[in-house]
Amino acid sequence: MKLYQKMLSVKYISRSGFGCINARPTQADFFCPPGYWKIIIDDNEKDYTLEAYRRIGQHMDFLNVRNKSIVLISGKAAEYVSIPAEPECVIVETMDIGRDLRSLLKAREGQHLLAALFIRVDEYHECEAILTTRSYNEISYQYIIFGNEKEAVRFDFDALREVSEFRITPLSQIEFTITVRKTLLLINELYIGRSLQETYLAKLIDTKKDQDDLVNIGRALSIEKNQEKLLRLILFLSKRITGADAGSIFLVEEDAEGKKHLRFKYSHTFSRDIPLEERVISMDKRSISGYVAVTGQVLNIPDASMLPPDAPYSFNTSFDRKYNYRSRSMLVVPMKNHVDEIIGVIQLLNCKESLETVNNGAYEAFSIKLESPEDFERHVVTFDKKYDSLMEAIAGQAAIAIENNRMIMQIQNQFEEFVKASVSAIESRDPATSGHSFRVAEICTAMAAAVNEVSEGYLGPFNFTETQIKELELAALLHDFGKVYIDLSVFRKSKKLYPKDFENLLLRMNYLYRFLELQYSSRETELLKSMKKNGDIDAAYDALVSDKNERLRKIIAIKEKLCEMNEPALLCENIEETLEEILGEIEDVECVSMEGDLLPIISQADRLNLLIMRGSLNPIERKEIESHVTHTYRFVSKIPWPPEYKNIPEIALRHHEKLDGTGYPDGLSGRESTLLQSRIMAIADVYDALTAGDRPYKKAVPLERVLGILREEAVKGMLDRDLVELFIEKKIYKRPEMKSSDKGLKENVC
C-alpha cells in the first residue's frame, strides 16, 4: 500500500455572502478542495442567516474536522493513472481493494470518510457489496471506473449516482488532479445535501412530535384530576417537548396578609437523583423565576452562569454546587390563567435537543444523561426560540388545568365535607350507632385497595381506580342515610318492649299481684267470720294462706320471667311455650279493672314483642328498619352524580343483600346479582355491627368470634367467601386507619 498526503487550508462561505466561516483543519489527512463553498438548499434566503449557519455548524459533520478525505486506487486501476509527485490529498494504492476498503472503514475511529475510488470495472460489484451496507454517515464515495467500451455496454451498474466517471483512456497527472478535485467536491456536495436533508428531516419530525405532544398535552391536562400528578405531568410533558434535562414548577401563594410568594412545588432532573424539597421564595425581580412571575415575560437564557451585567435578576448557584450540576441554558415561562393572572412559573434547564439527528423517535430529555463536564459542553444547547411561544401555550393550558383542578377539588372537598357533616348529623340522632358509617367507609376503602393487590383467583381481574374507590367511600358514608326517615324510637329500642310499654306491663303485673292479694284477703276475712259459727276452720285457713302464697310467688316469678324475656339476647328455650304457660297462669286469675271489666295483663303488642327470638325488633319494626335501604336509594338517586359516581345509589341499596337470597330489599341471590362494591360493604357493615360496643341491644362480640361468624356466613353462602378470606388474611381490621373500629374491640378480644 502506497500513501501520499498534503495539508490544505479550507474556507467556507454562505450562499448569500454573509462572510466566511473559517474552518480549523489540524491534521494532514483532512482535505477540502481549494476555493469557496456554495451551500445551496432552496431559494428561501430568510432562513439562512449567519447565526443559522453557525448553529447548524455546531451539529453537522461536514462543518467540523470529522471528515477525512481519501483517494483509493486499486492495483488494476493504477496502470490507468499518473500520480503527481506532490499530490494534494491522501492517496492509498492497494492491490486488494476489498480488504483495504474494509480495513479503512474499520479504522476510521468515528471519522466520516470522503472517498474517491479508482477501480476497474470488474471490481465494481465487490466494492458495492461492501459499501451499500454502510451508512452515509460512515462514508460518502464516488467511483472513477476504468474499462473498455464493450465492458461498459454489457456491464449492469446498480447505482449510477455513485459513479462519477467511466474512463476508457488513462489519466495524465493534470487530468488526475482535476478529476480528484472534481470528485471530492461532488462527494462533499452530496454529503452536505444528505446531511442537510437529515437535519431538516429531524426538524420536521421534531415539529411533528411537538404538534402531537401539544395535542396530547391538552388532552392529558384535561383528564388528570389529581393535583400532584397534574404537576408531574405538566413538567414531564414540558421537558419532553423541549428536550430539557431538568425542570421545576413554582406556584403562586398568598399569605394571610395578602403578600404573594412562590412555592417550589415540584422538580425533576433526569441526570441526577435529587430529592424534592418544598420551599418558599420571595416573589420579586431578584430571582429568575420571581422576575418571570412578576413581569409575565418569558426568559430564554443561553447560559445562566453568564448573565448580562445589567440583568435585574441573578442566578442562584447553590443548587449546582450542592448536586455537582451545571445549569446552562434556561427557559422560564409564566403560567397565566383565563383572566391573565399569573398563578405559577415553569422553569426548564439545559436543553439537549439535537438539530441533526432523527433519534428514531426518542426524546433527548430522557435519553441523554449529563454526568461529566464534557457532557454539558457536548450536549447542552440554547432552547430554540420556537419554544418561547410553544411553552407559553403549554403553560397557559397548564395554568387553566391547575385552576380547574383547584376548583374541582374545592367543590369535591366541599361536597365530601357536606356528606360527612350530614352523616354526623343523622348519626347523632342515635348515639349508639355514631361513627358507624365512617368506620364502614374506612373498611371498604381498605378492602378495595386489598382487592387491587390480588393477581389471581376470582378477585384477580378486579382492579379499582382511585375514582371507583372514592365512589365506594361515598356510598359507604351514605349507606344508612335513609334511617333519617325511620322512627327514632325504633333505633333506640334496646329491649323487646319499649320502656313505657314495659313499665306499663310491670304496673299491670303489680296490679295483678295486688288484685290477687286483695282477693285472698277478702276470702280470709270471710273465713274468719265463719269461725264464730264453725269453730274448726284452722285447716281451711291454712290451706287458703298456702294457696295465696303460692299464687303470689308465681306472679313474682312471672314478673321476673317477663323481665328476662324482655332482654334482646338469644334465648335457648322455647320462648313461645314459655309465654303460653305465663298467659295460662295469668288468665286463671281473671283480673278485672276498677270498672269491673276484664283486664288483659299482657296485650297482643306485648306478646308480639316478647316472642322476638333474636334482637329487640319485632317483624313490623324490622321491616321498617330494613326500609332504610330503599329510603337511602331514593334520596341518593336524587343527587346529580357525575358519571364516575353513577353506581353510588346501587352500591348503597344492595349492601344488605345476601348471596343466598335471604337479604333485603329484593332478596337477590348469586354474585352476579350485586356489584363487588356492595358485597364489600356487606362484610364491612356486618363486621362493624358485631364489634361495636355501644349498641343498646347487645354487647360487642369478641374479635375471634366475629371472624368466626363472618366465615360461617361465607360458608353458608350469605357473604362472598373470597372477600371474607381477603378481609381476614390481610387483617383489614388491624390496619392503622381502623382506629375508630378498634376502640370497641380492645376490651372484647379474647
Side-chain angles (χ1 to χ4, degrees):
M1 180 186 294
K2 294 181 181 179
L3 180 65
Y4 310 85
Q5 60 186 24
K6 180 180 180 181
M7 181 185 294
L8 297 175
S9 62
V10 184
K11 280 186 178 179
Y12 300 92
I13 189 168
S14 66
R15 176 177 183 265
S16 51
F18 283 107
C20 295
I21 305 174
N22 294 323
R24 301 186 300 277
T26 58
Q27 300 180 24
D29 57 349
F30 290 130
F31 169 80
C32 274
Y36 292 135
W37 278 105
K38 279 187 176 181
I39 302 179
I40 302 174
I41 302 169
D42 54 34
D43 293 327
N44 190 358
E45 296 186 11
K46 68 178 182 179
D47 291 334
Y48 308 117
T49 64
L50 183 59
E51 175 62 28
Y53 281 121
R54 284 177 177 152
R55 184 170 173 83
I56 293 171
Q58 294 173 2
H59 301 277
M60 299 189 65
D61 289 344
F62 69 88
L63 291 179
N64 60 37
V65 296
R66 287 181 58 208
N67 286 345
K68 179 177 181 178
S69 298
I70 189 169
V71 175
L72 195 62
I73 304 175
S74 72
K76 293 181 179 180
E79 61 185 82
Y80 291 90
V81 299
S82 297
I83 301 173
E86 294 185 5
E88 295 180 340
C89 58
V90 177
I91 298 176
V92 176
E93 187 176 339
T94 174
M95 299 307 294
D96 190 335
I97 185 72
R99 179 197 64 194
D100 289 335
L101 189 56
R102 291 188 183 91
S103 298
L104 285 170
L105 289 168
K106 187 176 181 180
R108 66 186 185 86
E109 297 180 350
Q111 292 177 317
H112 175 261
L113 298 180
L114 302 177
L117 305 175
F118 287 77
I119 62 172
R120 272 276 301 160
V121 67
D122 57 335
E123 296 172 310
Y124 168 75
H125 284 298
E126 179 185 3
C127 293
E128 272 295 275
I130 297 170
L131 295 174
T132 53
T133 61
R134 299 289 182 155
S135 165
Y136 88 94
N137 284 319
E138 297 178 79
I139 183 170
S140 297
Y141 60 93
Q142 286 285 300
Y143 294 110
I144 298 90
I145 301 177
F146 294 95
N148 56 46
E149 292 183 1
K150 291 182 179 180
E151 289 174 320
V153 170
R154 71 170 184 265
F155 211 83
D156 180 24
F157 295 103
D158 297 328
L160 286 176
R161 68 174 184 173
E162 310 296 350
V163 178
S164 172
E165 191 172 349
F166 189 96
R167 299 277 308 186
I168 298 174
T169 60
L171 290 171
S172 65
Q173 289 188 4
I174 188 63
E175 288 177 321
F176 175 80
T177 301
I178 293 172
T179 300
V180 168
R181 288 179 181 179
K182 182 183 71 172
T183 302
L184 290 178
L185 177 61
L186 176 61
I187 295 171
N188 271 279
E189 288 178 347
L190 289 173
Y191 178 60
I192 289 170
R194 289 177 178 177
S195 298
L196 287 173
Q197 284 180 352
E198 182 174 279
T199 299
Y200 282 92
L201 176 61
K203 286 184 176 180
L204 287 173
I205 292 176
D206 184 67
T207 302
K208 176 65 166 59
K209 287 198 298 184
D210 289 348
Q211 291 176 344
D212 292 342
D213 286 342
L214 197 59
V215 172
N216 293 332
I217 285 172
R219 185 183 298 115
L221 293 181
S222 66
I223 293 173
E224 185 56 62
K225 300 297 186 294
N226 182 280
Q227 174 80 358
E228 296 301 319
K229 289 184 178 179
L230 181 60
L231 293 177
R232 290 198 293 270
L233 180 64
I234 291 170
L235 191 58
F236 170 81
L237 295 173
S238 298
K239 288 175 58 186
R240 186 172 79 171
I241 202 169
T242 61
D245 183 66
S248 307
I249 291 181
F250 298 82
L251 295 182
V252 176
E253 291 185 352
E254 190 171 318
D255 59 23
E257 299 176 355
K259 187 176 180 180
K260 291 184 177 181
H261 304 275
L262 280 178
R263 178 172 289 278
F264 183 75
K265 194 66 179 175
Y266 183 68
S267 70
H268 180 263
T269 304
F270 177 73
S271 298
R272 297 286 189 280
D273 186 12
I274 300 174
L276 174 64
E277 299 175 1
E278 278 200 23
R279 63 182 186 274
V280 175
I281 64 174
S282 299
M283 187 169 163
D284 54 41
K285 295 182 179 180
R286 291 178 296 176
S287 65
I288 293 175
S289 55
Y291 181 87
V292 172
V294 171
T295 64
Q297 177 183 341
V298 177
L299 289 181
N300 191 335
I301 302 172
D303 194 334
S305 63
M306 300 177 64
L307 295 175
D310 58 345
Y313 44 81
S314 61
F315 174 66
N316 187 348
T317 60
S318 60
F319 174 86
D320 287 5
R321 292 195 304 270
K322 184 176 181 180
Y323 296 107
N324 191 27
Y325 194 73
R326 184 177 177 187
S327 300
R328 293 189 62 184
S329 59
M330 294 181 68
L331 181 60
V332 192
V333 186
M335 292 193 290
K336 298 180 182 180
N337 62 16
H338 62 287
V339 293
D340 211 34
E341 177 188 7
I342 296 174
I343 68 162
V345 171
I346 300 175
Q347 179 176 283
L348 302 172
L349 293 175
N350 290 341
C351 177
K352 301 177 293 186
E353 190 172 56
S354 171
L355 294 181
E356 177 187 3
T357 56
V358 176
N359 289 328
N360 295 322
Y363 289 94
E364 296 91 339
F366 312 114
S367 60
I368 300 173
K369 275 204 170 186
L370 305 176
E371 297 177 330
S372 65
E374 291 76 17
D375 292 334
F376 287 89
E377 292 294 332
R378 182 183 304 113
H379 297 297
V380 176
V381 296
T382 303
F383 286 93
D384 195 287
K385 289 295 182 184
K386 69 178 181 179
Y387 290 127
D388 292 12
S389 57
L390 189 60
M391 278 306 302
E392 272 193 296
I394 293 172
Q397 291 186 61
I400 293 173
I402 290 173
E403 287 286 272
N404 289 343
N405 183 263
R406 282 177 177 172
M407 288 188 286
I408 290 172
M409 292 301 297
Q410 184 177 3
I411 293 171
Q412 185 171 334
N413 289 336
Q414 287 176 342
F415 177 75
E416 288 181 18
E417 291 304 314
F418 172 76
V419 169
K420 292 175 182 178
S422 301
V423 171
S424 297
I426 292 170
E427 291 191 342
S428 67
R429 298 172 70 238
D430 181 17
T433 59
S434 180
H436 167 71
S437 295
F438 294 97
R439 294 191 296 269
V440 169
E442 290 172 356
I443 295 172
C444 286
T445 54
M447 285 195 67
V451 168
N452 286 352
E453 297 174 3
V454 179
S455 58
E456 55 187 17
Y458 172 74
L459 296 176
F462 291 96
N463 186 74
F464 293 106
T465 64
E466 289 186 12
T467 301
Q468 289 174 321
I469 292 177
K470 177 59 67 175
E471 177 187 55
L472 175 57
E473 180 185 5
L474 291 173
L477 287 172
L478 294 168
H479 79 284
D480 279 346
F481 204 92
K483 288 181 178 179
V484 71
Y485 297 98
I486 308 301
D487 187 345
L488 187 59
S489 62
V490 177
F491 281 115
R492 293 183 175 178
K493 189 182 181 188
S494 59
K495 311 291 183 180
K496 294 182 180 180
L497 294 174
Y498 291 106
K500 195 67 178 177
D501 293 338
F502 186 64
E503 182 182 349
N504 289 335
L505 176 60
L506 293 182
L507 286 174
R508 291 196 297 273
M509 288 300 297
N510 290 338
Y511 179 84
L512 176 64
Y513 185 91
R514 295 304 177 190
F515 177 81
L516 191 61
E517 192 177 41
L518 183 60
Q519 274 192 329
Y520 274 99
S521 295
S522 298
R523 290 173 63 184
E524 288 174 358
T525 302
E526 290 295 327
L527 189 60
L528 289 173
K529 286 180 180 180
S530 65
M531 283 180 62
K532 298 177 181 179
K533 300 177 181 179
N534 304 310
D536 188 15
I537 60 169
D538 290 344
Y541 184 81
D542 291 340
L544 181 61
V545 171
S546 176
D547 186 52
K548 179 187 75 171
N549 291 337
E550 178 64 21
R551 296 289 295 274
L552 291 177
R553 185 191 62 76
K554 285 184 177 181
I555 295 300
I556 293 172
I558 288 173
K559 184 177 178 181
E560 292 175 350
K561 190 65 178 177
L562 290 174
C563 289
E564 182 183 338
M565 292 176 66
N566 191 42
E567 295 297 323
L570 180 62
L571 300 177
C572 297
E573 62 184 277
N574 190 328
I575 192 170
E576 188 172 353
E577 185 178 322
T578 302
L579 185 59
E580 287 299 324
E581 292 177 0
I582 291 173
L583 290 172
E585 288 287 342
I586 293 174
E587 288 172 357
D588 285 345
V589 177
E590 293 185 352
C591 180
V592 296
S593 66
M594 299 293 291
E595 291 78 17
D597 299 326
L598 189 64
L599 180 66
I601 303 300
I602 301 178
S603 66
Q604 289 297 324
D606 293 338
R607 294 183 188 185
L608 179 66
N609 284 301
L610 291 172
L611 286 173
I612 296 171
M613 293 296 296
R614 186 174 185 175
S616 62
L617 300 178
N618 62 44
I620 297 173
E621 293 163 341
R622 186 164 295 282
K623 278 291 183 184
E624 184 177 0
I625 288 289
E626 290 177 356
S627 70
H628 81 275
V629 293
T630 54
H631 289 306
T632 296
Y633 179 77
R634 290 170 188 160
F635 171 79
V636 175
S637 295
K638 293 178 181 178
I639 299 175
W641 299 102
E644 60 267 27
Y645 292 157
K646 65 181 180 180
N647 290 323
I648 286 179
E650 180 70 15
I651 295 170
L653 174 66
R654 303 300 178 193
H655 75 277
H656 278 297
E657 295 287 358
K658 304 293 183 182
L659 299 186
D660 63 351
T662 59
Y664 62 87
D666 297 321
L668 302 179
S669 61
R671 279 175 164 173
E672 294 74 19
S673 63
T674 56
L675 295 173
L676 185 66
Q677 294 94 313
S678 295
R679 285 176 269 149
I680 288 174
M681 196 186 301
I683 294 170
D685 194 52
V686 171
Y687 172 81
D688 188 71
L690 291 172
T691 56
D694 48 10
R695 297 295 172 96
Y697 50 84
K698 71 170 192 64
K699 295 180 180 180
V701 181
L703 177 61
E704 289 185 5
R705 178 60 186 140
V706 171
L707 301 182
I709 291 173
L710 291 176
R711 276 201 166 111
E712 288 172 11
E713 295 204 353
V715 171
K716 292 177 182 177
M718 301 170 71
L719 298 176
D720 192 304
R721 179 179 295 186
D722 291 287
L723 287 175
V724 169
E725 290 304 318
L726 181 69
F727 177 81
I728 297 173
E729 178 187 341
K730 296 293 185 180
K731 294 183 169 60
I732 303 295
Y733 49 87
K734 285 189 174 182
R735 295 194 176 187
E737 61 267 26
M738 298 298 121
K739 290 178 181 177
S740 55
S741 297
D742 292 343
K743 184 178 179 181
L745 290 176
K746 290 179 180 177
E747 298 178 357
N748 300 290
V749 177
C750 298

